[in-house]
Amino acid sequence: MSGILIEIKNLKLTLSNTKILDKINMTIEPGKIHCLIGPNGGGKTSLLKCILGQVPYEGEIFISYDDTKTIGYVPQLLDFDKTLPITVENFLSIVYQKKPCFLGISGKYRKILDDLLKKIGMYEKRKRLIGNLSGGEKQRLLLAQAIYPEPNLLILDEPFTGIDKLGEDYFKSIIRDLKSKGITILWVHHNLKQVIEMADTVTCIKKEIQFSGNPKKILDEEKILTAFS
Ligand SMILES: Nc1ncnc2c1ncn2[C@@H]1O[C@H](COP(=O)(O)OP(=O)(O)OP(=O)(O)O)[C@@H](O)[C@H]1O
Ligand SMILES: [Mg+2]
């Protein structure tokens, strides 16, 4: 499995006449865990949206992507309508298979889907309506839709928000497993202790890049205070 490389040159993003990102230059090496940190409103989600082609930016973003590769994305927030008649397993089957979910799950996908539900600890809750899931359960479901088919790049936007210790453990073990397969992981994260524990590189963004490097070496108190103040 080959991880995707991303190279960003002189990226600038302006929305509603406000400069959101400026002078962003960074390389996201394949097969590594890269964390993005920074204060609220610093532009982390906006940078992910630029990479995913969801907003018009200036500058260059090179992604070593072709149609044999897959990108998985866990967004920061996704609210489901409470009355939507879609269960957890319907949701995953919509993502995976072409036939409508009300016609049932294809034999081909049944085992894949059950394995994934077990992997995220949601097998027992597979018949629940997605609108009734708790915040942490929604996050787990969003992770499940992003990891099949196995991605070459996994983009996570604060997936631990509202998630408990057990949920965190599911996420961490899935992320470690993907990393061991050479998959690139780009991860917006606010828990600096976990950034030090898991990431190969960290970049702090507050409109511009504040600092970037190996989290074990770079995340000292002074830098964090300057960046977040
Ligand atoms: N469509 C838009 N028009 C104008 N401003 C926007 C738009 N989208 C985002 N912004 C602004 O861009 C800035 C960066 O937002 P962004 O969501 O990227 O921050 P973030 O670093 O992800 O913050 P958080 O940690 O709170 O998730 C914010 O000030 C936000 O209000
Ligand atoms: Mg954000």
Side-chain angles (χ1 to χ4, degrees), residues 62-75:
F62 168 78
I63 304 177
S64 66
Y65 174 82
D66 59 56
D67 57 14
T68 63
K69 297 203 169 111
T70 304
I71 297 177
Y73 174 44
V74 179

Side-chain angles (χ1 to χ4, degrees), residues 12-21 55-58:
K12 186 164 144 185
L13 174 68
T14 310
L15 294 172
S16 317
N17 287 326
T18 310
K19 209 183 273 177
I20 308 292
L21 293 168
V55 283
Y57 55 83
E58 291 168 61

Side-chain angles (χ1 to χ4, degrees), residues 78-97 99-105 113 117 122 125-134 137-138 141-142 145:
L78 195 62
D79 251 337
F80 303 119
D81 188 323
K82 280 239 175 266
T83 56
L84 212 58
I86 292 179
T87 64
V88 167
E89 65 177 14
N90 288 154
F91 178 81
L92 289 181
S93 70
I94 290 170
V95 177
Y96 299 158
Q97 68 183 20
K99 80 172 182 185
C101 70
F102 58 80
L103 293 179
I105 296 160
L113 211 137
L117 286 165
M122 290 288 287
K125 294 177 182 169
R126 64 192 184 282
K127 301 283 182 201
R128 291 255 179 103
L129 291 183
I130 52 174
N132 289 337
L133 296 180
S134 73
E137 288 166 349
K138 270 185 215 154
L141 187 58
L142 289 178
Q145 62 75 32

Side-chain angles (χ1 to χ4, degrees), residues 165-208:
K165 175 77 177 65
L166 187 66
E168 244 183 65
D169 291 344
Y170 282 118
F171 267 72
K172 280 190 192 165
S173 96
I174 290 169
I175 288 166
R176 286 204 178 99
D177 180 45
L178 292 176
K179 192 199 162 177
S180 73
K181 293 177 177 162
I183 290 158
T184 312
I185 293 155
L186 179 59
W187 184 359
V188 175
H189 205 354
H190 61 262
N191 182 329
L192 300 180
K193 230 172 109 183
Q194 282 175 3
V195 171
I196 293 172
E197 178 195 333
M198 305 268 301
D200 298 296
T201 60
V202 64
T203 301
C204 177
I205 294 182
K206 191 162 93 182
K207 189 153 77 179
E208 297 180 17

